[in-house]
């Protein structure tokens, strides 16, 4: 992973060299350093056994890989012409790789193209890493109920099977093709090629980094462009295994046979209708403009992308509450989106239904399914643990941010947006019209931990703190 990050740095290095920006040398040095360290580590750890990873090794590999690539990716930002601190460089990198989209940078419109491109590349690569982690490692490690998505046969043996590796490769190709399609459509509907390339990468990754401080507000009134963004943000929030099934069956209906996707559509449509009604109450915009703005901003938040087309906090308290709830919900499992995830929401609803049925008929046997997979007791237990860890983490991060001097609204929203990997928070400081630059360094380090914790589904990192985990 460090080698991949290092090799990717050569792309912005080439762009800066073409435009005569001196940062090309920083990117080149950081690239060679990363490739060298990663290469030497690979050579030192060569084995003839093959790429077998057990669940226990998966926890260590996942946690330390994200830490390693976060520090590596921060190098060109730290030594660049931006003149930012190491704390800010790491924050920007972790926010990019976890596809959170929170930023400490301003003046993006005047920033060198190489640095803008690097931010987008980090989010695009982060999206790839998130999908592969969700498909290959989290089910094997039985994190947060993700074992429900474990593939059949050899995957039950806690090893990465050739079938899983083939599936991951196929999904990477689909991810790249969707990104390319998004880029072309952005260009057709009004963006420059540079804007289209950057926004396409951060749209499919549901990351939200932009090339301008205004985010999508720069393209206000360009409704076709907003709909391109809405469609591809939504596409990034869908399970990429469903795309693979759709390609194999050669039928788009395969997408809508997925219960996660149907629930995602229902929840998104419900919130969008409520926000459209609210917008028509407070503005003179017509139905189409209100519906477009509501859909774009809602999909941006619920998929944890973080693009903003104006300051939706000015839409009134009802809209603020809806956006706050949408922050936690998130997209589908197996997507680039963060949050609670639709499959867990479905499991919670199924558990409540089964509970009420047992209240009516104590002797009744109730069995729930999602996409023909039985929701077993260990799935319910895993989701319950996830809800508990999410709640405790939210309280803990909020209190920790309070100790750094943040006010209650900023602390609560920053905690939510970091753990759910959304991006913008609430309030005048870190809302859609602000950024995280003015926060104290201590708060940024807390949010760094929260972003990685939320992206890796809590258990993946927290289990490393148990002394028993390290014993033979």
């Amino acid at each position: 992973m460090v080698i991949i990050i290092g090799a990717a740095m050569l792309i912005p290095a080439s762009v800066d060299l073409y435009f005569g920006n001196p940062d090309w040398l920083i990117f080149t040095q950081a690239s060679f350093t990363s490739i060298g360290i990663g290469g030497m580590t690979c050579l030192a750890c060569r084995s003839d056994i093959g790429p077998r990873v057990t669940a226990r090794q998966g926890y260590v590999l996942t946690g330390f890989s994200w830490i390693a690539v976060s520090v590596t990716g921060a190098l060109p930002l730290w030594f660049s012409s931006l003149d930012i601190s190491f704390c800010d460089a790491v924050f920007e990198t972790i926010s990019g790789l976890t596809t959170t989209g929170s930023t400490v940078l301003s003046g993006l419109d005047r920033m060198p193209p190489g640095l803008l491109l690097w931010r987008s590349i980090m989010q695009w690569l982060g999206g790839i890493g998130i999908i592969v982690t969700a498909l290959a490692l989290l089910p094997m490690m039985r994190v947060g109920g993700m074992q429900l998505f474990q593939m059949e046969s050899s995957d039950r043996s806690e090893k990465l099977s050739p079938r899983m590796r083939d599936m991951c490769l196929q999904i990477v190709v689909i991810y790249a093709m969707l990104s390319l399609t998004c880029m072309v459509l952005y260009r057709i509907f009004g963006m420059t090629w540079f804007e289209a390339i950057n926004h396409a990468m951060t749209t499919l990754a549901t990351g939200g980094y932009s090339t301008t401080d205004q985010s999508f507000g720069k393209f206000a009134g360009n409704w076709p462009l907003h709909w391109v963004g809405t469609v591809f943000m939504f596409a990034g929030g869908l399970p990429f295994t469903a795309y693979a099934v759709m390609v194999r069956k050669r039928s788009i209906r395969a997408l809508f046979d997925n219960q996660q996707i149907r629930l995602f559509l229902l929840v998104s449509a419900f919130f969008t209708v409520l926000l459209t009604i609210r917008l028509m109450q407070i503005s003179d915009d017509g139905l189409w403009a209100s519906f477009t703005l509501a859909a774009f901003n809602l999909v941006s938040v619920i998929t944890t992308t973080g693009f903003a087309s104006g300051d939706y906090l000015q839409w009134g308290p009802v809209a603020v509450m809806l956006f706050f709830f949408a922050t936690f919900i998130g997209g589908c499992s197996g997507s680039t989106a963060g949050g609670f995830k639709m499959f867990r929401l479905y499991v919670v609803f199924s558990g409540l239904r089964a509970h009420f049925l047992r209240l009516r008929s104590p002797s009744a046997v109730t069995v729930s399914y999602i996409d023909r997979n039985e929701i077993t007791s260990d799935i319910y237990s895993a989701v319950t643990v996830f809800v508990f860890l999410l709640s405790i983490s939210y309280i803990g991060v909020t209190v920790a941010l309070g100790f750094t001097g943040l006010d209650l609204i900023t602390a609560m929203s920053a905690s939510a947006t970091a753990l759910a990997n959304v991006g913008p928070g609430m309030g005048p400081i870190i809302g859609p019209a602000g950024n995280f630059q003015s926060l104290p360094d201590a708060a940024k380090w807390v949010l760094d931990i929260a972003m990685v914790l939320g992206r890796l589904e809590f258990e993946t990192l927290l289990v490393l703190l148990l002394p028993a985990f390290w014993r033979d």
Side-chain angles (χ1 to χ4, degrees):
M1 290 179 69
V2 171
I3 292 172
I4 291 171
I5 289 290
M9 291 178 188
L10 294 175
I11 301 174
S14 302
V15 171
D16 271 345
L17 179 61
Y18 177 80
F19 285 101
N21 188 279
D23 283 340
W24 74 268
L25 187 58
I26 300 296
F27 276 109
T28 303
Q29 292 172 340
S31 173
F32 289 160
T33 301
S34 303
I35 293 173
I37 292 174
M40 287 187 293
T41 306
C42 285
L43 291 173
C45 301
R46 288 185 65 185
S47 172
D48 295 329
I49 297 175
R52 296 184 178 182
V53 179
T54 65
R56 187 183 181 191
Q57 293 167 341
Y59 287 109
V60 179
L61 174 67
T62 305
F64 283 96
S65 292
W66 280 85
I67 294 171
V69 297
S70 297
V71 174
T72 304
L75 293 178
L77 294 175
W78 187 24
F79 292 107
S80 71
S81 57
L82 292 176
D83 193 27
I84 61 176
S85 66
F86 180 68
C87 174
D88 284 349
V90 171
F91 181 92
E92 194 76 11
T93 303
I94 291 179
S95 179
L97 291 171
T98 59
T99 73
T100 302
S102 303
T103 184
V104 294
L105 303 180
S106 57
L108 300 178
D109 303 82
R110 302 180 302 277
M111 195 169 289
L115 289 170
L116 292 174
L117 187 60
W118 179 235
R119 295 167 78 243
S120 302
I121 289 172
M122 284 194 295
Q123 289 204 327
W124 195 81
L125 290 176
I128 289 281
I130 288 158
I131 295 169
V132 172
T133 301
L135 291 177
L137 293 177
L138 295 186
M140 180 182 67
M141 295 184 290
R142 308 177 72 81
V143 171
M146 289 294 289
Q147 60 265 38
L148 186 69
F149 300 97
Q150 209 167 24
M151 297 175 70
E152 298 299 327
S153 66
S154 59
D155 290 314
R156 299 290 179 182
S157 66
E158 296 192 345
K159 299 286 193 248
L160 293 180
S161 69
R163 184 183 171 195
M164 178 59 78
R165 289 194 290 269
D166 292 341
M167 171 68 80
C168 290
L169 180 60
Q170 184 181 11
I171 285 173
V172 168
V173 173
I174 293 170
Y175 182 76
M177 294 304 296
L178 285 172
S179 301
L180 182 63
T181 305
C182 181
M183 178 193 72
V184 172
L185 290 175
Y186 272 151
R187 178 67 184 95
I188 290 173
F189 288 106
M191 287 187 179
T192 65
W193 275 116
F194 185 73
E195 290 171 336
I197 291 169
N198 282 273
H199 284 90
M201 286 193 285
T202 59
T203 298
L204 254 296
T206 61
Y209 276 165
S210 179
T211 57
T212 171
D213 290 327
Q214 297 174 276
S215 190
F216 253 77
K218 179 180 179 180
F219 311 104
N222 188 337
W223 304 137
L225 197 64
H226 278 68
W227 278 109
V228 172
T230 302
V231 168
F232 282 94
M233 283 189 292
F234 194 86
L238 300 183
F240 275 75
T241 49
Y243 291 121
V245 172
M246 182 187 71
V247 171
R248 187 173 68 248
K249 293 185 176 180
R250 298 181 180 179
S251 171
I252 196 171
R253 184 176 177 180
L255 280 179
F256 300 100
D257 288 338
N258 187 295
Q259 286 175 287
Q260 265 202 105
I261 294 177
R262 292 204 296 267
L263 180 60
F264 191 30
L265 278 167
L266 180 64
V267 172
S268 299
F270 178 69
F271 275 59
T272 299
V273 169
L274 293 180
L275 288 170
T276 301
I277 294 172
R278 178 58 183 164
L279 267 178
M280 294 186 69
Q281 288 176 339
I282 64 172
S283 70
D284 296 327
D285 294 331
L287 175 61
W288 180 245
S290 297
F291 180 62
T292 300
L293 283 172
F296 179 88
N297 286 283
L298 184 277
V299 170
S300 177
V301 171
I302 202 170
T303 60
T304 69
T305 304
F307 283 139
S309 182
D311 188 358
Y312 48 73
L313 298 183
Q314 303 302 316
W315 296 1
V318 173
V320 171
M321 285 189 292
L322 289 173
F323 279 116
F324 187 72
F325 291 142
T327 295
F328 282 102
I329 294 174
C332 300
S333 291
S335 72
T336 58
F340 187 66
K341 302 288 174 56
M342 286 294 150
F343 107 85
R344 294 192 183 96
L345 193 62
Y346 188 92
V347 170
V348 169
F349 286 151
S350 298
L352 287 173
R353 176 179 173 275
H355 176 71
F356 287 125
L357 287 175
R358 284 194 295 270
L359 289 179
R360 188 190 67 178
S361 304
S363 59
V365 177
T366 57
V367 180
S368 300
Y369 294 87
I370 177 170
D371 295 329
R372 297 182 296 279
N373 295 312
E374 181 182 349
I375 304 176
T376 58
S377 58
D378 66 320
I379 301 294
Y380 285 120
S381 299
V383 172
T384 302
V385 170
F386 183 90
V387 172
F388 176 77
L389 291 177
L390 173 60
S391 303
I392 292 298
S393 298
Y394 178 64
I395 295 171
V397 172
T398 301
V399 171
L401 291 175
F403 274 109
T404 68
L406 300 187
D407 63 89
L408 181 61
I409 297 299
T410 303
M412 290 179 64
S413 65
S415 176
T417 195
L419 291 170
N421 304 116
V422 175
M426 302 288 180
I429 300 175
I430 59 171
N435 67 18
F436 290 70
Q437 190 174 39
S438 61
L439 268 57
D441 284 355
K444 293 171 187 173
W445 287 116
V446 170
L447 292 174
D448 286 341
I449 297 171
M451 286 187 283
V452 178
L453 192 63
R455 178 46 74 189
L456 297 184
E457 314 263 291
F458 303 100
E459 297 170 59
T460 310
L461 283 186
L462 293 178
V463 72
L464 300 178
L465 302 179
L466 293 175
F469 177 84
W470 300 99
R471 299 188 191 124
D472 291 332

